[in-house]
Amino acid sequence: MNSDQIKGSVKDVAGKAQRKLGEAVGSTEHQVKGAATQVEGKAQKAVGNAREAVKDVRDANRKI
């Protein structure tokens, strides 16, 4: 696991919590900010997943 995967997961969870809190208190602003944070987290995690996949391929090619 790399730092982008970890940070992305944390942002995703934090955004979900903020979105749910916004729903609970009726704050559209918090819901939107939470959803945006979730999207940012998912994107960062995807970047981390891609970096990890490239690393795995590179490592596999070194073994050949």
Side-chain angles (χ1 to χ4, degrees), residues 5-62:
Q5 289 172 312
I6 295 167
K7 289 176 184 176
S9 293
V10 169
K11 284 181 184 177
D12 184 22
V13 170
K16 185 173 185 175
Q18 185 176 16
R19 186 175 52 84
K20 292 289 187 182
L21 177 65
E23 289 173 7
V25 298
S27 171
T28 305
E29 181 181 352
H30 277 84
Q31 290 176 40
V32 170
K33 285 182 180 180
T37 302
Q38 265 190 290
V39 169
E40 183 182 341
K42 288 180 188 301
Q44 187 170 9
K45 187 175 178 185
V47 168
N49 290 342
R51 283 181 48 205
E52 198 69 24
V54 168
K55 179 181 169 274
D56 291 345
V57 168
R58 187 179 55 224
D59 291 346
N61 286 334
R62 287 183 180 163

